[in-house]
Amino acid sequence: MGPTLGTMIRFASASRRRAAVATRIAAAPLKAPIAMPMVAALLMLGPADAGYAQDSPPDSIPGAVPAAPSEGAPSDAAPLDEEVRPAGITYEVEITGVEDEGLRGTLRDASTLVELKDDHPPSLIGLERRADSDRDRLQTALRSAGYYDAKLDIRIDDPAAAGTLPAGGQAPPVKVTVAVTPGPLYHIKTVTVRGVSNSTGSSTLPKELATDDLGLVAGAPAIAQKVLDAESELVGRLSKRGYAFAKVPDREVVVDHSDRTMDVTYSVDPGPLTRYGATRIEGLEKVDEDLVRGRLAWKEGQVYDPGATDRARQDIAALQVFDTVRVRMADEPGPDGVTPVIVSVGERKRRFIGGGVTYSTEDGVGANAYWGHRNLFGGAEQLRVGVDVGRVAGSSGGTSSKGNDLPDLRFSVNFRKPDFLAVKQSLLVNFAVVNDQPPAYSRVASELTVKLERPLTDQLTVSYGVTGERGRVRTEDTTYQTSFIGVPLGAAWNGTDNLLNPTSGQRASLQVTPWFPVGGDTKSPFTSILLNGSTYYDLGKDGRYVAAGRIGLGSILGTSLSDIPPDHRFYAGGGGSVRGYGFQKAGPRDRYDDPVGGRSLFEIGAELRIKVTENIGVVPFVDAGTVYDKAYPDFSEPLRVGAGLGLRYYTDFGPLRVDVGVPLNPASGDSRWQLYLSLGQAF
């Protein structure tokens, strides 16, 4: 048997003629479990395992929740002496007398009549019992919203009983009318916070605890959820000050019907000041324990900090080798508040495989496949080996003098070691052999990059390293032998709420790479600079209407365009650039109608992401951009503009994207439209 709720009736002096009802948590047997249909109805809950009993009529208990039917209790079933309709009783529910849409929604959410509307009771008596059970539930909902003098009248009108059956004999739906008279709204009168007395009789409440600005102010509506929120705020403030076991063992709510006010008193037990003790790690199989311990954001003996505990959980999860990560203090405080910490993890499968397919009308069909290992040597080292095949059909590269008969091919090996030389600093080694045939050139090359990546803040990450490449690049007129050493320097800032489907915030990235020739046909060093930024704004504050915009700027300094190999120039056009144009084709062309590329780049785009359902969305968009011969965009070339409409299917791993774009000012010979299929938003 669980504990229940008792009631205590207090009367003020007769001269004030004030009657108040107070409720407290008490211990008494409970005959049936309690249904909790909404969080607001938890107004009178104390500890998590507390329940209710009822010693007075429900109307006298502020926020009390009516008992749900227990096993063996009366149900909607019809008695033997009542005629039961084979298809059950169909009915319609109408709530009248409530103008506030928020209150109407609260009542509908609490109503069994509404929730079980499609579960037809077998008889009218079953429907009446369902309506009777709604009376207490709806009164609870009204009290939770601050209406303690509300009145309810539930009326059931059966057209069949009135002899109004249609000629076909099928009974029309029974009409259930819930007439509500909310009455006046009650308001908060006083809010008191007091500490629980300790063994010396003094209060245990820390002097530094702020008890104002709890969201409950005199004159505010007496809404149950606000009372609960204020209690959570008190516990949260104590937790931030190191009191990990803080609780509110007693909450007293007094409703005064004479002046329609509510007095709220919280009794707070902060518990001991908590310090981190020894940490125990559970669930490890193949991952080194030292790796996990290196991500703990505290030292033993340090005062408890919920922010540090949460950061440790996030940092451990960022290793990407665990399915679950839980970081918690022991259930009971230790001596002098020094409490053990328990880190529980569940390891993911170490090996994985995957693949994908892409398509656009310009680039044709592409596919990729990969194999990987998440924990190669026990330190969460990640290895990924992949093969990408592009332009299998519809390729704009082709078999001209600059191309060959092979499709685009890329074989790559990627290795990442976390916590290399420092916590959160990763070593990245990327190797690739490529055969590319985009519209502008044909290239066969090998590339090797070694760099370090380090987050400076939760949003800002920097990277630095060295890269080398060697290859051959062909155009219709020229063949370039290339050999370079580069020093890539990068910074990325991500303030969005989601990586693949952001609805708010901003992103920005800067990549600066000085290139130094070490042989080949290029003699002059040059520096490539690329800046991208995007912003997202949730118009409806619920993710259904998101406005998104992006801008891209690029510049190559140090030499002329003719001295820069075509694979190091900037190009515009394609599914991730200016939609409506083919890949690399939103820019100037040579006499063979191939893209020339440029030393500078300017791109801009905007779209409106509209969710039609939870899984389907439409995205109208417009993009513009081109490249220039100068080291900075001088707008000597006309901007190529494309517009179109996209379809999104939202999945747990990101949106599937289908975009159809048309060029608004195409060059001669450009396609009239382009189709793009991929995973993730365009930007």
Side-chain angles (χ1 to χ4, degrees):
M1 294 295 181
T4 57
L5 180 68
T7 60
M8 176 181 66
I9 302 179
R10 296 179 176 177
F11 295 95
S13 62
S15 60
R16 295 178 61 188
R17 297 180 181 179
R18 176 178 181 264
V21 179
T23 60
R24 281 184 175 176
I25 300 297
L30 178 65
K31 296 181 179 180
I34 302 303
M36 300 297 179
M38 54 188 172
V39 68
L42 298 175
L43 169 61
M44 307 313 301
L45 278 177
D49 58 349
Y52 287 105
Q54 189 166 297
D55 297 332
S56 61
D59 287 348
S60 68
I61 303 177
V65 181
S70 61
E71 184 175 353
S75 66
D76 291 341
L80 295 178
D81 58 348
E82 186 188 4
E83 181 181 353
V84 177
R85 301 185 190 179
I89 300 293
T90 60
Y91 63 92
E92 297 176 348
V93 183
E94 181 183 10
I95 298 177
T96 64
V98 179
E99 296 181 358
D100 182 81
E101 288 300 322
L103 179 58
R104 182 186 297 274
T106 298
L107 294 174
R108 293 186 68 86
D109 290 343
S111 171
T112 302
L113 286 166
V114 174
E115 181 183 359
L116 301 180
K117 182 174 178 292
D118 295 330
D119 184 8
H120 305 154
S123 65
L124 279 175
I125 288 183
L127 179 60
E128 290 170 358
R129 286 176 175 165
R130 190 175 290 183
D132 285 341
S133 72
D134 251 15
R135 297 180 192 277
D136 288 344
R137 298 173 69 88
L138 294 178
Q139 284 285 5
T140 296
L142 287 163
R143 287 195 296 269
S144 73
Y147 296 93
Y148 286 85
D149 292 336
K151 293 180 174 58
L152 285 172
D153 180 24
I154 302 180
R155 185 172 63 253
I156 298 176
D157 297 322
D158 183 9
T164 57
L165 279 174
Q170 184 176 357
V174 174
K175 184 176 182 181
V176 181
T177 303
V178 181
V180 182
T181 305
L185 178 63
Y186 280 49
H187 294 80
I188 298 294
K189 186 176 183 179
T190 63
V191 179
T192 304
V193 179
R194 64 190 180 198
V196 177
S197 298
N198 57 23
S199 57
T200 64
S202 60
S203 173
T204 58
L205 200 64
K207 294 181 180 180
E208 68 272 16
L209 176 65
T211 58
D212 54 354
D213 298 328
L214 294 175
L216 287 180
V217 295
I223 298 174
Q225 186 61 54
K226 295 291 186 181
V227 177
L228 295 175
D229 291 345
E231 180 176 318
S232 299
E233 175 66 19
L234 278 171
V235 174
R237 290 181 183 182
L238 284 165
S239 180
K240 291 177 181 178
R241 286 165 175 77
Y243 296 89
F245 297 92
K247 58 184 177 180
V248 178
D250 189 22
R251 178 199 322 112
E252 183 180 290
V253 177
V254 178
V255 174
D256 187 347
H257 293 280
S258 66
D259 58 2
R260 301 187 179 95
T261 60
M262 175 187 286
D263 297 309
V264 184
T265 301
Y266 300 101
S267 296
V268 180
D269 180 7
L273 182 65
T274 310
R275 298 181 183 275
Y276 291 107
T279 300
R280 184 172 76 250
I281 300 176
E282 302 175 341
L284 291 179
E285 297 177 13
K286 299 293 185 179
V287 178
D288 292 341
E289 183 173 317
D290 289 344
L291 179 69
V292 178
R293 290 189 179 276
R295 298 238 164 174
L296 301 181
W298 62 82
K299 295 182 179 180
E300 192 170 330
Q302 179 181 328
V303 174
Y304 170 77
D305 178 5
T309 304
D310 189 57
R311 283 196 304 275
R313 180 188 60 79
Q314 295 179 22
D315 290 344
I316 295 171
L319 293 170
Q320 300 181 27
V321 291
F322 301 117
D323 279 324
T324 58
V325 177
R326 186 185 181 195
V327 182
R328 62 183 180 89
M329 307 298 290
D331 295 335
E332 297 292 336
D336 299 324
V338 179
T339 305
V341 186
I342 302 171
V343 178
S344 302
V345 298
E347 293 190 10
R348 302 174 68 182
K349 292 182 178 180
R350 296 188 294 278
R351 297 172 181 83
F352 60 91
I353 60 173
V357 176
T358 61
Y359 175 78
S360 76
T361 51
E362 183 73 17
D363 303 335
V365 177
N368 66 83
Y370 54 86
W371 172 91
H373 199 296
R374 294 188 176 93
N375 187 32
L376 194 61
F377 304 121
E381 299 90 352
Q382 300 174 26
L383 177 67
R384 186 180 187 274
V385 180
V387 176
D388 294 79
V389 183
R391 306 182 201 282
V392 177
S395 170
S396 55
T399 58
S400 66
S401 60
K402 71 175 187 294
N404 54 52
D405 294 331
L406 294 174
D408 286 359
L409 295 170
R410 170 179 285 264
F411 172 77
S412 60
V413 179
N414 308 107
F415 175 80
R416 173 188 287 265
K417 178 173 177 53
D419 295 356
F420 179 74
L421 301 180
V423 175
K424 298 185 182 180
Q425 178 171 270
S426 297
L427 170 68
L428 284 75
V429 180
N430 301 319
F431 173 74
V433 178
V434 299
N435 175 69
D436 289 336
Q437 297 182 79
Y441 55 83
S442 173
R443 177 179 72 137
V444 177
S446 58
E447 306 166 347
L448 176 64
T449 300
V450 179
K451 66 179 181 179
L452 298 177
E453 185 178 86
R454 181 176 181 83
L456 299 182
T457 69
D458 290 340
Q459 291 81 31
L460 180 62
T461 300
V462 298
S463 61
Y464 43 93
V466 62
T467 184
E469 65 174 53
R470 185 177 181 86
R472 182 181 68 248
V473 182
R474 290 180 177 178
T475 66
E476 294 285 0
D477 292 327
T478 310
T479 297
Y480 295 80
Q481 297 292 335
T482 63
S483 184
F484 289 101
I485 293 293
V487 184
L489 307 171
W493 189 85
N494 185 4
T496 61
D497 58 344
N498 187 281
L499 183 62
L500 289 178
N501 184 36
T503 61
S504 62
Q506 294 79 36
R507 288 177 183 164
S509 65
L510 174 65
Q511 187 74 33
V512 179
T513 307
W515 291 100
F516 303 95
V518 287
D521 298 331
T522 302
K523 303 302 181 184
S524 300
F526 57 90
T527 299
S528 175
I529 304 171
L530 181 61
L531 173 66
N532 281 295
S534 57
T535 184
Y536 312 88
Y537 184 73
D538 189 351
L539 299 175
K541 307 304 180 184
D542 57 1
R544 302 195 71 87
Y545 297 90
V546 177
R550 67 172 289 264
I551 187 171
L553 296 169
S555 178
I556 299 176
L557 308 174
T559 190
S560 63
L561 183 65
S562 60
D563 287 335
I564 301 171
D567 58 326
H568 282 272
R569 300 173 187 175
F570 289 116
Y571 299 89
S577 176
V578 183
R579 286 166 287 184
Y581 294 83
F583 181 62
Q584 296 185 339
K585 291 192 173 180
R589 318 276 180 86
D590 62 16
R591 58 196 177 100
Y592 301 103
D593 201 34
D594 292 332
V596 175
R599 295 174 61 200
S600 59
L601 166 74
F602 176 79
E603 291 179 342
I604 192 169
E607 59 185 35
L608 180 61
R609 301 169 183 173
I610 305 169
K611 269 196 170 182
V612 180
T613 69
E614 286 302 313
N615 300 109
I616 301 296
V618 295
V619 181
F621 62 83
V622 60
D623 296 326
T626 192
V627 296
Y628 305 91
D629 185 32
K630 297 291 183 64
Y632 55 88
D634 61 358
F635 299 98
S636 57
E637 294 286 337
L639 284 179
R640 298 299 176 184
V641 183
L645 186 67
L647 180 68
R648 303 290 184 270
Y649 180 74
Y650 294 95
T651 68
D652 292 338
F653 53 84
L656 299 176
R657 175 165 66 102
V658 180
D659 285 339
V660 178
V662 296
L664 301 186
N665 57 339
S668 175
D670 279 343
S671 299
R672 295 184 178 181
W673 59 281
Q674 297 284 338
L675 172 67
Y676 312 96
L677 307 176
S678 66
L679 173 64
Q681 299 286 7
F683 58 87

